[in-house]
Amino acid sequence: MAITSTYSPPLLPPHHHHHLLLHCKTTTNLDNHHKSPSTHVSKPVIFHSTSLPCSLSQQINNLCNSRDLPQALTVLQENQNTTILETLSSLLHACAQQNDIFTGRKLHEFVCNSKELANNPIISTRIITMYSLCGYPLESLAVFENLETRNLYQWNAVLSGLVKNEMWVDVIILFSEFITLSSFEPDNFTMPCVIKACGRIMDVRLGKCVHGMVEKYGLSDDVFVGNALISMYGDFAVVEEAVKMFEVMDMKNLVTWNSILNVFAENGGFIECFEFFKEMMEGGEALFLDVATMVTMLPVCAEIEDVDMGRSIHCLAVKFRLIEEVKVQNALLDMYSKCGYLFEARMIFEMNENKNVVSWNSMIGDYAREGDVSGAFDLLRKMCGLNEHEKVNDVTVLSVLPVCSGQSKLFGVKELHGYSIRHYFSDNLVMNAFVAGYAKCGDLTSAGRVFDGIQSRSVSCWNALTNGSVQNGEPGKALDLYLAMMDSGINPDSISIATLLVACDRLQILGYGRQIHSFVLRKGIDKDPYIFTSLLSLYIHCDDPLSAELLFRGRKAKGLIAWNAMISGFSHNRMPYEALSLLQQMVSEEIKPDETTIASALCSCSQLSTLRLGKEIHCFALKGGLMGDNYVSCAIIDMYAKCGVIHLSKRFFDLLKEKDTASWTVLISGYGVHGNGKMSVQLYEDMKRSGSRPDGFTFIGVLTACSHAGLVTEGLRYFNEMQSLHRILPKLEHYACVVDMLGRAGKFSEALKLVAKMPQEFVTGISITLLSSCINHGQLDLGKKLAKKMIELEPARVETYVLLSNILAASGEWDEVRSIRGKMKALDLKKDVGCSWIEVGGKNYTFIVGDKSLAEAELIQDIWKRLEKRIRQIGYVPDTSLVLHELPDDEKLEILRGHSEKLAVSFGLLNSPNNVPIKVCKNLRVCGDCHNAIKLVSKVVQRDIILRDNKRFHHFKNGLCSCGDYW
């Protein structure tokens, strides 16, 4: 009886599979279960053997089919005198298919003990294949190396086994031995193995050499080899060569088309992928789409969010009866969820009767990405009770943990941690995720315990705990962890350095940050975008915007995050002109601003009180579809309020569909700085009725409003409510508001009692607030006492010296004044110079106290003298006592006339239409003389004048001020 000898075919790139069927007469090679026009048939090795009795052969086949291989081996051993090769070969094949290495080894031993079988080429080939398919390639290689003689089938079998076990370098080494030591030429089974190995080790030169060998041996027309070459060039990302190979192939099968589609999909050629898919469908070839086509095209639809094409492919999956395939269902689920069609994704999931762990993980990841952590955990709990095929794995855990953030999610993290411990999920990635998860939920203690339990800590593990420490307000601990990591021999990566820079930023230690910057430059990692942005942030928040700008200007390729860091940094450092100039440059370089950019730019407009530019940026945000962001909405409300048009803030607020705590807070604060404390209080009550919960910032706004409006009783009530009802601990800002409120009202005894109850670290900051009130209410002795105590605590704080100098000047103690000013000069402390600015015709004009450098300076001075003459007729008397210098009255009067707000008002009257209100901003608090004078000017010129100082707005109209002379 003649039997055809066969060998296991090589494994090709994805979707390029050769299936081997053992028959009694011939063996046919199939490419992905579709017949190839160039089907390769191995030359048979013919030998003779006695036939086995039919009943015994049938018995062994039945045992193989019932997966009882040990019993089949026993039957074979009991009848070894009648054994033929066909039965032994079938049994070895069954061991490979069922991954039964134990029975396979017994069969190998059985063969070695038989002289007739030990050197049989068919059986040795089967043994090589059996070890490879069972996952033991080294034993397969050992069998091959012990062969006395080797044929082409055995070389191919061992190469195929190495490919199966992803031993790519070994494939290349063995192929080199094959070329140099054997007398055989490689065939269309040999070359696909080698081609795939070249693609996996990413050796382009070697791949091209192998391609040359393909041409040399005349194998370029073989469809299997051609498919392998297409995939190899796809692995190299050399798409042009893959397309060239595809075009020169005369014979193409479904795997060929799948291969070229996969090349485009993996290398970002999504449009080309669709074009080739369309050509494939319209080509007229008798091809039927398979699972590989579906799972290639559906992710492409997901990448570009083309749900219409995705639906078309969904219909094709139904047409070709592939919809029940779990891989196809998973790809559909993923496509719909990434395109934002969550209902369809969940319907696919619910209707899938063949769910596997990938299906569950995809759906859980979908819930997690949408922020529905509760839904993700509910699904995860259902998954925990399923069979082994659908059990939770480390991917499931890693899908959920990254979105667990905040105290409310801590229980879920602990629940998941307990499950992971019970099921031995000890992978470093999972443990790192738990460290980060606990840290993001604010439980650094648990994060530290997980960290301590990790024996082999990677840099990612250290980074997780270090970053968690920074995010939870413990930057000092982050620095300690970094030093411990270095001591343990772990080298930092870019994330470590970026986190360390953030810690320095939070601790305001610029010197240490500069050392890290030097380290970054020495290591040549300054181009890393995370490190670059962290360095910008460090310099900006440590009040060194010049270094940040030099760093920024020195980099050619700047991403949006870097632009945003600089714009927000300039705004943070009260450099609004620089921020807006940078925004203009950013737009000119065609970099599209995002919500962060717009919010920072609006903040700069608020600082400058430039209404026209603020409106332009508002329009830009509308056109750019950036209005859905809460930060942008709050910035718009704040901008209109600080540009003096609080009614526009209220109008925009009323149009918001969803009013959160931040938007309520900004509007409350806006009315507060406009002196309308009653409206602020009413809005606060409306906020509570709406269900929004006030936070610490809300109470700063309410208390500030009460302070400016003199609502002492209401302010004290809200201060108590904040602590008793809302459980918010007062911070420095809250105490400052209440002390300022009591000081403005002249209630110094109550203010001092509150100061005595405060934490000691707040006392210095609060006393500054109280000092100004002491001057306004003539409490000079108390002011002197507070100022001297503050100088002892903070000897380098300029505000204290200025206020003490003013108190001493008001008391007429000029010798003491000169002494204080001498100390300031010795310490190089300089008080802020009075500065005002006004927007006229879309441009900002700045005036400094006593400035006579403007071309129109004499005209402006003349206008003010004429205004002064008119307001004297209705009761204005210059208050020269406010000039805290030992000078004659006429010189004091000239100093009063040179105050910057008076110059700005005069300029506005000279250069703006009569029907337009005059809006002036000042960097310091408006003095009493200017307040009284401008109030009367509004009456004599019949113009509305809006003055914004560093504390609040003053709306002057017809001789009255919105503050009611209470400021």
Side-chain angles (χ1 to χ4, degrees):
M1 177 180 179
I3 299 179
T4 302
S5 171
T6 62
Y7 60 91
S8 178
L11 299 172
L12 295 177
H15 319 312
H16 296 215
H17 303 296
H18 295 272
H19 296 287
L20 182 65
L21 300 178
L22 180 64
H23 298 287
C24 292
K25 293 183 179 179
T26 62
T27 299
T28 303
N29 301 300
L30 301 179
D31 190 348
N32 202 22
H33 64 260
H34 290 276
K35 290 184 179 180
S36 166
S38 58
T39 301
H40 176 84
V41 180
S42 302
K43 294 180 181 180
V45 176
I46 302 174
F47 61 92
H48 299 279
S49 177
T50 307
S51 295
L52 189 69
C54 184
S55 59
L56 182 59
S57 176
Q58 187 64 45
Q59 182 182 359
I60 290 179
N61 285 336
N62 290 340
L63 289 170
C64 288
N65 292 333
S66 63
R67 306 180 71 85
D68 191 356
L69 299 185
Q71 182 60 34
L73 174 61
T74 301
V75 172
L76 184 66
Q77 290 171 331
E78 290 174 351
N79 296 273
Q80 54 183 315
N81 293 331
T82 58
T83 298
I84 65 168
L85 295 178
E86 181 183 355
T87 305
L88 181 58
S89 184
S90 297
L91 193 49
L92 283 166
H93 179 71
C95 289
Q97 294 298 311
Q98 299 178 31
N99 200 22
D100 188 345
I101 188 64
F102 178 80
T103 305
R105 283 178 175 148
K106 291 289 186 182
L107 281 170
H108 185 194
E109 183 182 350
F110 175 81
V111 169
C112 289
N113 291 332
S114 169
K115 293 182 180 180
E116 181 183 355
L117 299 174
N119 296 315
N120 186 281
I122 296 177
I123 297 302
S124 60
T125 304
R126 276 295 184 194
I127 292 172
I128 290 170
T129 303
M130 181 273 297
Y131 278 123
S132 297
L133 294 178
C134 288
Y136 291 85
L138 295 180
E139 294 189 37
S140 174
L141 196 57
V143 173
F144 174 77
E145 289 175 347
N146 288 327
L147 293 175
E148 294 179 3
T149 59
R150 300 165 185 165
N151 60 28
L152 179 59
Y153 313 115
Q154 291 160 343
W155 280 100
N156 283 343
V158 75
L159 282 169
S160 176
L162 293 174
V163 169
K164 171 72 176 176
N165 290 277
E166 300 182 357
M167 298 175 68
W168 312 117
V169 175
D170 297 272
V171 172
I172 302 300
I173 293 171
L174 190 65
F175 179 67
S176 300
E177 294 179 6
F178 171 79
I179 294 297
T180 56
L181 300 179
S182 76
S183 59
F184 304 110
E185 289 188 356
D187 65 1
N188 62 343
F189 286 166
T190 317
M191 296 312 297
C193 292
V194 183
I195 293 167
K196 182 170 184 178
C198 292
R200 290 299 184 266
I201 64 175
M202 298 300 292
D203 192 328
V204 181
R205 290 184 60 188
L206 181 61
K208 289 184 175 181
C209 289
V210 172
H211 190 174
M213 295 179 70
V214 166
E215 299 290 344
K216 174 185 175 182
Y217 290 114
L219 298 172
S220 57
D221 292 333
D222 186 87
V223 68
F224 299 155
V225 176
N227 293 346
L229 285 168
I230 290 172
S231 291
M232 179 191 74
Y233 284 120
D235 290 338
F236 295 152
V238 187
V239 179
E240 298 83 359
E241 291 295 330
V243 174
K244 190 184 296 182
M245 190 66 222
F246 175 83
E247 289 174 347
V248 301
M249 289 177 65
D250 293 329
M251 301 297 297
K252 299 181 179 73
N253 61 10
L254 180 58
V255 177
T256 314
W257 285 96
N258 284 343
S259 298
I260 195 66
L261 292 177
N262 191 61
V263 167
F264 286 119
E266 291 296 323
N267 290 283
F270 303 131
I271 302 301
E272 294 87 346
C273 189
F274 283 136
E275 290 174 353
F276 269 76
F277 180 70
K278 183 180 178 181
E279 182 183 344
M280 171 184 171
M281 298 298 295
E282 294 176 349
E285 293 92 344
L287 299 173
F288 293 93
L289 304 185
D290 65 356
V291 172
T293 318
M294 298 290 107
V295 299
T296 299
M297 294 306 301
L298 286 169
V300 173
C301 299
E303 282 292 331
I304 63 174
E305 298 184 4
D306 189 343
V307 73
D308 292 331
M309 177 60 80
R311 282 177 171 150
S312 299
I313 296 173
H314 187 173
C315 293
L316 289 172
V318 174
K319 176 182 177 180
F320 289 103
R321 298 181 181 180
L322 300 170
I323 195 63
E324 296 301 321
E325 294 286 343
V326 68
K327 289 183 179 179
V328 175
Q329 290 186 334
N330 290 344
L332 282 167
L333 189 160
D334 184 65
M335 183 274 295
Y336 280 121
S337 65
K338 287 182 178 175
C339 290
Y341 288 75
L342 305 182
F343 176 78
E344 286 82 351
R346 289 165 191 175
M347 286 292 293
I348 293 284
F349 178 77
E350 294 297 334
M351 294 171 64
N352 185 357
E353 296 181 357
N354 302 312
K355 299 183 187 76
N356 61 7
V357 67
V358 176
S359 316
W360 285 90
N361 287 347
S362 297
M363 199 71 248
I364 289 170
D366 179 21
Y367 276 100
R369 280 190 300 273
E370 290 300 309
D372 187 358
V373 183
S374 300
F377 269 99
D378 289 342
L379 206 59
L380 193 149
R381 292 183 186 103
K382 290 180 183 177
M383 188 179 178
C384 288
L386 299 174
N387 56 48
E388 198 66 35
H389 183 57
E390 302 170 77
K391 278 289 185 184
V392 174
N393 62 10
D394 51 357
V395 176
T396 322
V397 175
L398 292 170
S399 298
V400 178
L401 277 176
V403 296
C404 293
S405 180
Q407 188 69 30
S408 60
K409 305 298 184 296
L410 181 58
F411 178 79
V413 174
K414 289 185 174 180
E415 183 182 9
L416 194 55
H417 190 192
Y419 183 91
S420 299
I421 291 171
R422 291 193 300 274
H423 291 80
Y424 306 104
F425 292 169
S426 57
D427 181 83
N428 266 8
L429 283 175
V430 175
M431 293 298 101
N432 293 350
F434 276 115
V435 172
Y438 277 121
K440 286 194 291 185
C441 292
D443 189 353
L444 279 180
T445 303
S446 295
R449 286 173 183 163
V450 177
F451 177 84
D452 292 339
I454 302 174
Q455 292 182 351
S456 179
R457 298 181 189 125
S458 64
V459 66
S460 300
C461 183
W462 285 93
N463 288 345
L465 190 59
T466 305
N467 188 57
S469 300
V470 171
Q471 298 304 320
N472 283 279
E474 295 190 27
K477 183 177 180 181
L479 293 180
D480 293 339
L481 283 166
Y482 175 79
L483 294 173
M485 180 182 80
M486 296 293 287
D487 289 341
S488 69
I490 302 292
N491 290 321
D493 61 6
S494 59
I495 297 174
S496 313
I497 299 298
T499 304
L500 189 61
L501 287 167
V502 174
C504 294
D505 182 343
R506 301 283 172 86
L507 291 168
Q508 295 283 288
I509 45 177
L510 182 58
Y512 193 38
R514 290 187 189 279
Q515 292 179 34
I516 299 168
H517 191 178
S518 299
F519 173 82
V520 166
L521 292 172
R522 288 197 304 273
K523 294 295 183 181
I525 54 176
D526 54 310
K527 302 301 180 186
D528 185 279
Y530 295 106
I531 292 176
F532 177 65
T533 307
S534 298
L535 281 167
L536 289 178
S537 180
L538 169 75
Y539 286 121
I540 287 164
H541 292 127
C542 289
D543 298 326
D544 189 1
L546 179 59
S547 294
E549 187 174 11
L550 288 171
L551 182 65
F552 180 80
R553 300 289 183 194
R555 187 177 177 113
K556 292 183 180 179
K558 298 181 279 281
L560 178 60
I561 295 175
W563 284 93
N564 284 344
M566 280 306 302
I567 292 171
S568 63
F570 280 137
S571 182
H572 169 79
N573 283 280
R574 303 198 70 80
M575 299 169 68
Y577 290 108
E578 290 82 354
L580 295 172
S581 174
L582 202 60
L583 173 65
Q584 186 179 18
Q585 181 186 341
M586 176 183 177
V587 174
S588 68
E589 293 188 16
E590 298 183 352
I591 297 172
K592 186 179 179 182
D594 65 357
E595 293 85 351
T596 303
T597 324
I598 297 301
S600 299
L602 288 167
C603 181
S604 295
C605 293
S606 299
Q607 292 172 21
L608 290 171
S609 200
T610 54
L611 179 60
R612 179 174 176 177
L613 186 55
K615 285 182 175 180
E616 289 179 4
I617 295 173
H618 184 180
C619 292
F620 184 91
L622 280 169
K623 291 177 182 177
L626 303 173
M627 297 301 297
D629 186 82
N630 284 342
Y631 289 107
V632 173
S633 299
C634 291
I636 289 171
I637 296 170
D638 184 62
M639 181 273 295
Y640 283 125
K642 289 180 179 174
C643 288
V645 282
I646 188 67
H647 64 283
L648 292 182
S649 293
K650 182 65 165 61
R651 185 186 301 173
F652 182 81
F653 175 82
D654 291 338
L655 292 173
L656 291 177
K657 292 181 180 179
E658 295 183 7
K659 300 175 177 65
D660 62 358
T661 299
S663 55
W664 281 101
T665 298
V666 173
L667 190 62
I668 289 168
S669 300
Y671 274 102
V673 297
H674 279 268
N676 195 341
K678 291 183 179 178
M679 185 63 178
S680 291
V681 168
Q682 181 184 325
L683 283 168
Y684 171 69
E685 296 296 339
D686 291 342
M687 174 186 178
K688 290 195 294 184
R689 283 190 289 271
S690 73
S692 293
R693 186 179 179 85
D695 59 13
F697 295 105
T698 311
F699 281 104
I700 291 173
V702 173
L703 293 172
T704 301
C706 292
S707 176
H708 288 314
L711 303 176
V712 179
T713 304
E714 292 85 346
L716 291 174
R717 184 174 77 247
Y718 290 131
F719 184 64
N720 292 327
E721 179 182 305
M722 176 182 77
Q723 301 171 74
S724 60
L725 183 61
H726 297 286
R727 306 294 180 189
I728 298 173
L729 290 175
K731 294 183 178 179
L732 173 63
E733 296 83 0
H734 301 105
Y735 282 115
C737 289
V738 178
V739 170
D740 183 53
M741 178 177 64
L742 293 171
R744 286 172 187 268
K747 298 180 179 293
F748 289 97
S749 58
E750 291 90 334
L752 291 172
K753 287 178 183 177
L754 182 62
V755 171
K757 295 178 181 178
M758 291 188 311
Q760 186 63 36
E761 62 268 21
F762 291 171
V763 172
T764 305
I766 297 300
S767 299
I768 287 285
T769 303
L770 201 54
L771 274 178
S772 298
S773 298
C774 289
I775 298 173
N776 293 336
H777 287 276
Q779 295 287 330
L780 303 182
D781 291 337
L782 176 61
K784 284 186 231 177
K785 187 187 296 183
L786 285 172
K788 288 176 181 177
K789 184 177 180 181
M790 288 166 59
I791 287 174
E792 290 177 8
L793 294 172
E794 284 191 286
R797 187 162 182 165
V798 65
E799 299 99 319
T800 311
Y801 288 96
V802 172
L803 288 170
L804 178 57
S805 174
N806 293 345
I807 291 170
L808 293 170
S811 303
E813 301 178 40
W814 297 109
D815 290 338
E816 290 294 325
V817 170
R818 283 187 284 272
S819 175
I820 291 296
R821 289 175 180 169
K823 288 181 180 178
M824 289 178 65
K825 187 174 182 180
L827 293 169
D828 196 27
L829 300 175
K830 297 177 182 179
K831 64 175 290 186
D832 292 333
V833 178
C835 173
S836 297
W837 59 94
I838 183 171
E839 183 181 5
V840 176
K843 294 182 179 180
N844 268 14
Y845 296 87
T846 303
F847 301 87
I848 298 172
V849 60
D851 186 8
K852 297 181 181 180
S853 61
L854 290 174
E856 299 171 302
E858 290 186 10
L859 182 58
I860 292 169
Q861 285 282 353
D862 185 58
I863 288 174
W864 181 256
K865 286 178 182 179
R866 281 189 278 166
L867 287 171
E868 185 181 307
K869 185 176 180 180
R870 293 177 64 184
I871 61 178
R872 279 178 184 269
Q873 295 173 357
I874 59 173
Y876 170 66
V877 178
D879 188 356
T880 56
S881 67
L882 295 174
V883 180
L884 301 174
H885 295 277
E886 195 174 7
L887 296 169
D889 283 349
D890 58 337
E891 292 186 30
K892 289 184 177 182
L893 181 58
E894 284 302 314
I895 290 174
L896 286 177
R897 286 171 178 165
H899 279 195
S900 61
E901 55 265 55
K902 290 174 181 172
L903 300 176
V905 168
S906 301
F907 181 84
L909 289 170
L910 179 65
N911 293 283
S912 61
N914 290 333
N915 60 342
V916 176
I918 295 170
K919 297 176 184 176
V920 175
C921 296
K922 186 177 180 181
N923 65 330
L924 303 175
R925 192 173 182 184
V926 62
C927 75
D929 180 74
C930 290
H931 186 273
N932 191 36
I934 296 171
K935 182 172 64 172
L936 295 172
V937 167
S938 72
K939 183 175 183 178
V940 297
V941 299
Q942 290 297 297
R943 294 279 292 275
D944 288 358
I945 302 174
I946 302 170
L947 174 63
R948 171 187 159 191
D949 65 14
N950 68 341
K951 295 292 184 182
R952 58 170 297 160
F953 275 89
H954 298 269
H955 294 258
F956 300 104
K957 185 175 183 178
N958 198 28
L960 299 174
C961 181
S962 60
C963 71
D965 295 338
Y966 185 88
W967 86 98

